[in-house]
Amino acid sequence: MTPDSKPFYITTAISYPNGRPHIGHAYEAVATDAIARFYRLLGRDVRFQTGVDEHGLKMVKTARERNMAVGEFANEMTQYFIDMCAALNIEYDRFVRTTEEANHRAVQEIWKRMEARGDLYLDRYEGWYSVRDEAYYDEKELIDGEGDEKLSPQGTAVEWTVEESWFFKLSNYQDKLLELYENHPEFLKPDSRRNEIANFVEGGLRDLSVSRTSFDWGVKVPGHDDHVMYVWLDALTNYLTGLDFPDEEGLYARYWGENAESVHIIGKDIVRFHTVYWPAFLMSADLPLPSRVFGHGFLLNRGQKESKSLGNVTDPVALAETFGVDSVRYFLLREISFGSDGSYSAEAIVNRCNADLANDLGNLAQRTLSMIAKNFDGKVPEPGEPTEADAALMAVFEAIPEQADAAMADFAIHQALEAIWRGAGEANLYISDEQPWTVRKTDPERAGTILYRCAEAVRQMAILARWAIPASADALLDQLGQADEARDFAALATPLEPGLALPAPQGAFPRLELPEEQGDS
């Protein structure tokens, strides 16, 4: 594991807070946090940003329905997203709100640069608009609903809209975008998403409406206060706002452009906005593009998309309160192939976490540390010369860091955890085969060596998994007497010190049970 010298900037999409956060918001936040933590442990200079997009017509309408001022409504709803991040141990460096004055400055600066290039013009918009998606759609993209109803490709309602609008010459960027996808296939992953977007762009691009006059909740168009900017130009610029743009020194110089790696982690339903509109805006403003955009799949509730009408919407904070924060984090990261759709249920969480956390890692740690406490006065035993079995176990752990690193380079989070958990499986086979509880009766030194190898396996497992289950991994490292500065990937090379006094062992992973109402169904 050799860290890249480039700073690493990673963001979630900014959530739309016209309702409380759902499990999809949590999934994206946990996955992005895990990637950021992994690279911090690797020793990279990492900046992680998340936030909320508080502008747009949906916010105005929802606030009106609740008889609230839209600013007051935005403050209330945004706090739920901040609370969700705290509850799930999301360790961000910056939480951006699009209503911040800093965002207004950044967005207006990009507008001025696009205008100076001649890419903005005033005209009249007539077409289909989805309030839910905050997006305009061409007639050929629509699908038929019930009766005469027209729906967007996402199945959301559209309405015919007529108003004066500023337009962005998106059509000018068709060839440049196709060149981007062709020459830089890493720009959009997984490959299936890139193929979809390339096909969309090849079909022809229409100029894009980028302002509204029918409401005033948004960033004012410079010199035209009767217009507010269309939400995607406002929203996407947040990635630069968090780096203090338009100040192009400091954070911006450090984390954006060719000297850094910048990555957006987003849901597959907003890939178009991030890989067609956003790079075109940046090209127009003569600004560098992000290095990569990764479009993950949906998280389904027992195979169904969550919706209020089905009554299957899950509160992620309540889920964490039921099963534990690290159990939920581990399940989401390990069970679901990142990039594809995945499904969850209470039973699946219980089964996965009991098998991997309570049984594999938890049982190994409990057996090992309890025997050290009982038979070696709570001190790390001295290891003898490694046997063939010892060497085989050590070789397994020596290979894991590179395997995990290779998987994470492709954001294959589930594969990285699979590689790490092979270590737990091998260590459990080792302790079962070597039977230190029997060996200690006739060869206490050999028993000490076996327990040393197992304790060292637990230490390495805790460090290797710390980006996924930070609190639980730290609890294990506490029980192994490891200092705070000995918990990153570089510390893997420094084995346990024989004779180190350990605190009394405690179970790190209690077995999960199904909630009563689940168990009775």
Side-chain angles (χ1 to χ4, degrees):
M1 277 184 165
T2 304
D4 193 310
S5 59
K6 283 186 175 183
F8 184 75
Y9 177 47
I10 189 166
T11 75
T12 66
I14 49 174
S15 302
Y16 204 72
N18 70 318
R20 295 194 185 198
H22 54 65
I23 193 68
H25 296 119
Y27 176 50
E28 182 170 294
V30 165
T32 310
D33 176 74
I35 296 168
R37 285 177 182 271
F38 182 91
Y39 285 111
R40 286 194 196 107
L41 289 170
L42 191 56
R44 286 189 74 171
D45 174 7
V46 175
R47 184 172 177 84
F48 167 31
Q49 177 173 306
T50 188
V52 286
D53 172 17
E54 297 169 308
H55 287 144
L57 187 55
K58 274 188 297 188
M59 291 292 286
V60 175
K61 288 190 170 184
T62 310
R64 189 179 297 140
E65 289 165 5
R66 292 187 53 179
N67 198 28
M68 294 176 71
V70 64
E72 179 186 356
F73 174 66
N75 287 337
E76 177 190 324
M77 300 311 293
T78 291
Q79 189 60 48
Y80 290 122
F81 286 83
I82 293 171
D83 292 345
M84 179 197 74
C85 288
L88 295 173
N89 202 1
I90 307 301
E91 199 173 66
Y92 54 77
D93 297 293
R94 177 77 154 88
F95 189 98
V96 168
R97 301 176 62 175
T98 54
T99 52
E100 294 175 29
E101 182 57 35
N103 194 60
H104 285 238
R105 284 195 303 272
V107 176
Q108 289 177 333
E109 176 63 23
I110 282 191
W111 181 281
K112 291 172 185 175
R113 295 187 186 198
M114 293 163 65
E115 188 174 35
R117 186 172 282 262
D119 281 340
L120 297 173
Y121 63 93
L122 193 61
D123 205 340
R124 182 179 177 84
Y125 179 80
E126 293 189 29
W128 296 101
Y129 181 74
S130 164
V131 174
R132 177 162 181 164
D133 297 345
E134 297 284 8
Y136 296 99
Y137 293 102
D138 190 87
E139 181 89 35
K140 64 185 180 184
E141 296 182 81
L142 302 183
I143 57 178
D144 292 329
E146 295 183 7
D148 296 331
E149 184 183 27
K150 298 287 186 182
L151 302 175
S152 77
Q154 274 71 248
T156 58
V158 294
E159 56 189 38
W160 186 259
T161 302
V162 179
E163 64 181 299
E164 183 181 72
S165 177
W166 282 89
F167 283 80
F168 170 64
K169 294 179 181 178
L170 183 63
S171 55
N172 284 359
Y173 291 89
Q174 179 171 336
D175 291 343
K176 290 181 180 179
L177 289 167
L178 291 173
E179 184 180 328
L180 170 66
Y181 311 144
E182 178 69 24
N183 295 341
H184 299 279
E186 77 284 355
F187 175 73
L188 174 55
K189 292 287 185 174
D191 292 342
S192 58
R193 309 260 188 267
R194 188 180 65 256
N195 294 337
E196 289 170 10
I197 290 298
N199 289 338
F200 170 75
V201 174
E202 284 172 351
L205 295 176
R206 296 177 59 195
D207 289 351
L208 183 69
S209 172
V210 288
S211 78
R212 304 295 303 273
T213 58
S214 54
F215 60 96
D216 62 1
W217 178 246
V219 180
K220 301 290 185 184
V221 171
H224 298 270
D225 283 355
D226 55 331
H227 285 255
V228 294
M229 292 186 208
Y230 165 57
V231 70
W232 281 103
L233 178 56
D234 167 9
L236 292 162
T237 303
N238 93 90
Y239 304 125
L240 302 187
T241 299
L243 300 177
D244 296 337
F245 181 84
D247 177 0
E248 295 188 41
E249 304 298 323
L251 291 174
Y252 178 90
R254 183 170 164 186
Y255 292 106
W256 196 260
E258 64 181 15
N259 295 323
E261 182 179 2
S262 50
V263 178
H264 301 321
I265 304 294
I266 60 167
K268 66 180 183 179
D269 54 333
I270 55 173
V271 166
R272 180 195 303 184
F273 308 111
H274 283 78
T275 59
V276 179
Y277 302 169
W278 181 224
F281 294 158
L282 291 169
M283 289 174 186
S284 176
D286 198 23
L287 291 168
L289 307 189
S291 309
R292 286 194 279 174
V293 178
F294 190 95
H296 62 77
F298 290 143
L299 188 58
L300 308 174
N301 187 336
R302 299 178 185 274
Q304 287 186 306
K305 196 169 180 180
E306 292 196 342
S307 73
K308 291 178 182 176
S309 60
L310 291 174
N312 65 346
V313 177
T314 300
D315 177 354
V317 175
L319 198 68
E321 288 171 349
T322 299
F323 296 111
V325 174
D326 278 355
S327 294
V328 171
R329 286 177 63 104
Y330 181 79
F331 174 84
L332 294 177
L333 298 171
R334 175 64 182 88
E335 184 79 8
I336 297 157
S337 175
F338 197 55
S340 303
D341 289 350
S343 190
Y344 76 97
S345 66
E347 295 90 342
I349 293 171
V350 168
N351 291 339
R352 168 63 74 179
C353 292
N354 281 346
D356 291 9
L357 299 181
N359 292 353
D360 284 354
L361 181 53
N363 195 37
L364 173 68
Q366 186 68 18
R367 286 201 291 180
T368 300
L369 296 177
S370 295
M371 288 188 68
I372 290 174
K374 182 178 179 182
N375 299 293
F376 291 88
D377 298 323
K379 295 179 181 178
V380 175
E382 183 81 36
E385 284 298 312
T387 64
E388 188 175 325
D390 297 351
L393 178 65
M394 293 160 67
V396 167
F397 277 91
E398 285 170 6
I400 290 173
E402 292 301 330
Q403 294 167 354
D405 193 24
M408 289 299 283
D410 293 327
F411 298 144
I413 298 172
H414 58 295
Q415 290 179 3
L417 286 173
E418 183 181 2
I420 292 167
W421 249 259
R422 284 192 207 111
E426 291 297 324
N428 276 299
L429 284 174
Y430 170 83
I431 196 172
S432 295
D433 290 344
E434 298 299 309
Q435 299 186 9
W437 49 88
T438 301
V439 171
R440 71 176 179 82
K441 298 173 185 175
T442 56
D443 190 349
E445 288 188 5
R446 175 58 192 160
T449 296
I450 297 166
L451 291 172
Y452 178 89
R453 301 296 174 204
C454 290
E456 175 61 11
V458 172
R459 184 190 74 89
Q460 296 211 24
M461 282 290 301
I463 291 174
L464 287 164
R466 192 167 171 242
W467 52 278
I469 49 171
S472 302
D474 277 339
L476 281 178
L477 291 166
D478 288 344
Q479 294 187 58
L480 289 164
Q482 299 303 289
D484 290 347
E485 60 271 18
R487 301 185 178 204
D488 60 11
F489 292 153
L492 291 168
T494 305
L496 279 170
E497 180 186 347
L500 178 66
L502 304 182
Q506 296 178 340
F509 302 103
R511 287 188 63 80
L512 302 182
E513 302 288 344
L514 279 174
E516 201 168 306
E517 62 272 18
Q518 296 283 349
D520 292 340
S521 60

